[in-house]
Amino acid sequence: MVLSVVCMSSCNNNRTYAEMKRDQEKAVKRLIAEKGFEILQNWPTDSIFGENQFVKLENGIYLNVVDSGNGNRAVVGKTTVLVRFRLIDFADKQEEVAVDFFDNNEYPFEFLYGNAAYLVSIHAQAYDDYYYYFNEGIEHILQHVGENAVVKAIIPFETGSTMQSTLGLPLYYERMKFVYY
């Protein structure tokens, strides 16, 4: 356990929560400016987002709905969700790194809706793909869209993966698709 604490402390260079929040805000502002995103104050009245329009949700997630899906909503404890995504990883402050799990050659991330926090916790020390990229923010998005939805999202470290919360940086999901079974 001591080794874990030392590793986590060294991974984030002993930055305070306030410093991590500041760094995250800078990264998000830079991304918004570079990509030309427009941040809406409210959800569009017709629920149709422009290509670069995002709304900031109550938990800090920036969401753009490309396709809201077929209307079927996930049911807590009953719906198994498969999610594929392509993202930008801000972990290296010098360079953004593209990560692609959208290709059908890769397995999708799978979770039972309502169980994301548990899944994050069991992978917390695994240093696997779930450790790096799966997070409660992905599950939270399902409150706003249905089956077969396609979205873009900036997910902050507060609702992010274990890696995100350790480094204090956001992930930008350029494309994310949800399928239920």
Side-chain angles (χ1 to χ4, degrees):
M1 184 145 79
V2 172
L3 182 59
S4 295
V5 170
V6 170
C7 179
M8 290 183 78
S9 295
S10 65
C11 289
N12 72 11
N13 296 324
N14 296 320
R15 292 183 307 146
T16 65
Y17 180 79
E19 290 169 328
M20 290 170 36
K21 289 286 287 180
R22 183 197 64 228
D23 290 348
Q24 175 172 263
E25 187 175 319
K26 285 181 185 177
V28 169
K29 283 182 178 180
R30 180 173 47 91
L31 176 70
I32 289 169
E34 286 176 4
K35 302 286 186 185
F37 294 158
E38 175 188 359
I39 307 305
L40 305 174
Q41 296 301 312
N42 298 300
W43 195 272
T45 54
D46 59 3
S47 294
I48 297 174
F49 286 76
E51 184 177 340
N52 285 332
Q53 291 180 326
F54 286 74
V55 67
K56 187 175 182 181
L57 304 176
E58 65 281 354
N59 60 3
I61 294 173
Y62 291 85
L63 181 63
N64 169 282
V65 178
V66 176
D67 182 336
S68 62
N70 63 14
N72 293 333
R73 297 295 183 153
V75 177
V76 173
K78 294 187 179 195
T79 305
T80 299
V81 180
L82 302 178
V83 62
R84 291 187 177 280
F85 50 78
R86 183 171 40 247
L87 62 86
I88 299 294
D89 182 345
F90 292 87
D92 181 351
K93 290 184 182 180
Q94 305 303 315
E95 178 181 347
E96 295 173 357
V97 178
V99 178
D100 194 348
F101 286 96
F102 214 82
D103 183 344
N104 282 332
N105 292 327
E106 297 288 340
Y107 288 103
F109 287 69
E110 180 179 336
F111 65 100
L112 181 64
Y113 184 58
N115 215 19
Y118 173 72
L119 192 57
V120 168
S121 72
I122 65 171
H123 287 273
Q125 299 300 318
Y127 301 102
D128 60 5
D129 292 334
Y130 281 83
Y131 170 88
Y132 289 103
Y133 306 116
F134 183 77
N135 56 65
E136 291 179 59
I138 290 172
E139 181 177 74
H140 181 80
I141 291 169
L142 290 173
Q143 295 175 17
H144 303 279
V145 296
E147 182 179 18
N148 296 318
V150 178
V151 301
K152 300 177 200 176
I154 302 169
I155 298 183
F157 73 84
E158 295 89 345
T159 59
S161 68
T162 305
M163 179 269 304
Q164 284 180 266
S165 59
T166 300
L167 298 176
L169 294 173
L171 289 176
Y172 168 50
Y173 293 79
E174 292 181 306
R175 182 171 175 87
M176 184 183 313
K177 182 170 185 176
F178 300 97
V179 176
Y180 303 165
Y181 81 93

